[in-house]
Amino acid sequence: MSLLAKQAEGAHQHFAEACSNIQKSHQLKQQASDLEEAVSFLEEHLATLESDSENAAIYARMIQEHLKEKEKIEREVEALSGKTSFKVEQGPLVRQLDDSLKSMKVCRQVYHGKSFVGNHVHLCLKKENIEKLMTDLCNRTNQLCPQLLGDVTLLTKKYKLLLRLFGACHRDFNKASQFTDDDIKALELSIQSYMAYFRENFPDETVTPKMHLLEHHTVPYIKKWKVGLGFHGEQGGESMHSRINVIQRDVRGLKDELAVLESVMKTHWIQTRPGAQ
């Protein structure tokens, strides 16, 4: 084996170990977060109990046990951080991901924890943009470390399907229109497919509160109101606010405030529900 090949193999092994440590650290941090939530829950209930009651003693003991376990996990995380010689956010693939997002006119907001806002989620979930993100990551890996291309290709395939499945849900539940029974059934199947795939392929990841809302509350809500969630979005409120301002300017000749309000609301009602005339 040549010296260059040995160096590449050593770099690959070091990278793999670092990635393993990062993944383990992420899982431990999630466990610590879960324990913190449990402690908060127990403390809230403890505050409602008599201080000298048996239940209060049990709750207090559980809180102490959770806190000790949380401290132990945090020490493990700190030990793992010393074994990782690079920061994830500084890695070449993360930088490539940012470059790809910028080319799609998507900018992660620093003040929102680098999450997406506004129309960016919609852009990222377009099929052609999902394909671009995954392809760019594979191409960059092939340039930097071809030995990792197989692993990265498998990983991008998993995320490609995950994003496509969520994209189907996102497009369906965000419609600002009335839902038929067939529409609701299609959305329900899309959500079931997405969550089943997520649980099967990412068994160590936590189901977030928003995923819980998607899985258990979105369809019942739409069944009740027969309209998509896009109908209740802030964009609709902003649009209505703008429209009312226009109507108010048209009736600025009226002096009585009540007459202005009645005229504005009547005009807006007629414009949004022409059949009500």
Side-chain angles (χ1 to χ4, degrees), residues 30 105 152 208-209:
Q30 184 60 54
K105 308 301 182 185
V152 172
T208 65

Side-chain angles (χ1 to χ4, degrees), residues 31-43 58-74:
Q31 292 176 22
S33 177
D34 292 342
L35 286 170
E36 187 173 355
E37 288 186 12
V39 168
S40 297
F41 175 81
L42 291 170
E43 287 177 339
I58 294 173
Y59 273 60
R61 185 169 63 252
M62 291 175 65
I63 289 172
Q64 291 302 315
E65 290 173 354
H66 284 346
L67 288 174
K68 287 182 180 179
E69 181 65 20
K70 180 173 175 285
E71 290 176 0
K72 178 183 175 182
I73 290 174
E74 288 174 343

Side-chain angles (χ1 to χ4, degrees), residues 39-57:
V39 168
S40 297
F41 175 81
L42 291 170
E43 287 177 339
E44 288 178 5
H45 283 267
L46 179 61
T48 66
L49 301 174
E50 296 291 337
S51 59
D52 57 349
S53 67
E54 183 178 351
N55 285 338

Side-chain angles (χ1 to χ4, degrees), residues 121-270:
V121 174
H122 176 69
L123 286 172
C124 288
L125 291 175
K126 287 186 175 182
K127 292 181 180 179
E128 61 270 23
N129 287 338
I130 293 174
E131 186 68 32
K132 174 177 173 53
L133 287 171
M134 302 303 115
T135 301
D136 287 351
L137 290 176
C138 288
N139 290 341
R140 185 60 173 158
T141 301
N142 193 39
Q143 292 174 355
L144 297 173
C145 188
Q147 295 88 342
L148 285 175
L149 183 58
D151 293 337
V152 172
T153 300
L154 290 175
L155 188 63
T156 54
K157 284 183 178 179
K158 286 175 61 176
Y159 275 96
K160 184 188 297 185
L161 185 51
L162 181 74
L163 292 173
R164 284 181 175 176
L165 289 171
F166 178 68
C169 301
H170 184 267
R171 284 186 290 274
D172 284 346
F173 67 66
N174 270 321
K175 292 177 181 176
S177 58
Q178 287 190 322
F179 270 60
T180 65
D181 290 340
D182 289 340
D183 292 333
I184 294 173
K185 185 63 177 178
L187 172 60
E188 192 169 18
L189 290 174
S190 294
I191 293 173
Q192 290 172 356
S193 298
Y194 166 64
M195 293 304 300
Y197 182 83
F198 174 80
R199 288 192 171 96
E200 180 181 353
N201 290 276
F202 302 89
D204 296 325
E205 296 298 326
T206 301
V207 174
T208 65
K210 287 186 178 180
M211 293 173 76
H212 169 80
L213 289 173
L214 174 66
E215 184 175 25
H216 294 287
H217 301 287
T218 300
V219 171
Y221 184 88
I222 292 176
K223 281 182 177 179
K224 179 177 181 179
W225 299 105
K226 300 295 185 182
V227 292
L229 301 185
F231 187 80
H232 305 284
E234 63 177 316
Q235 293 91 342
E238 292 294 336
S239 176
M240 184 176 69
H241 180 71
S242 174
R243 186 59 197 160
I244 286 178
N245 284 340
V246 172
I247 298 172
Q248 281 182 322
R249 287 196 292 270
D250 291 339
V251 296
R252 58 183 177 272
L254 298 177
K255 295 182 179 180
D256 183 59
E257 291 185 0
L258 180 58
V260 170
L261 179 60
E262 288 179 345
S263 179
V264 168
M265 296 310 298
K266 182 178 180 180
T267 303
H268 181 261
W269 174 253
I270 292 173

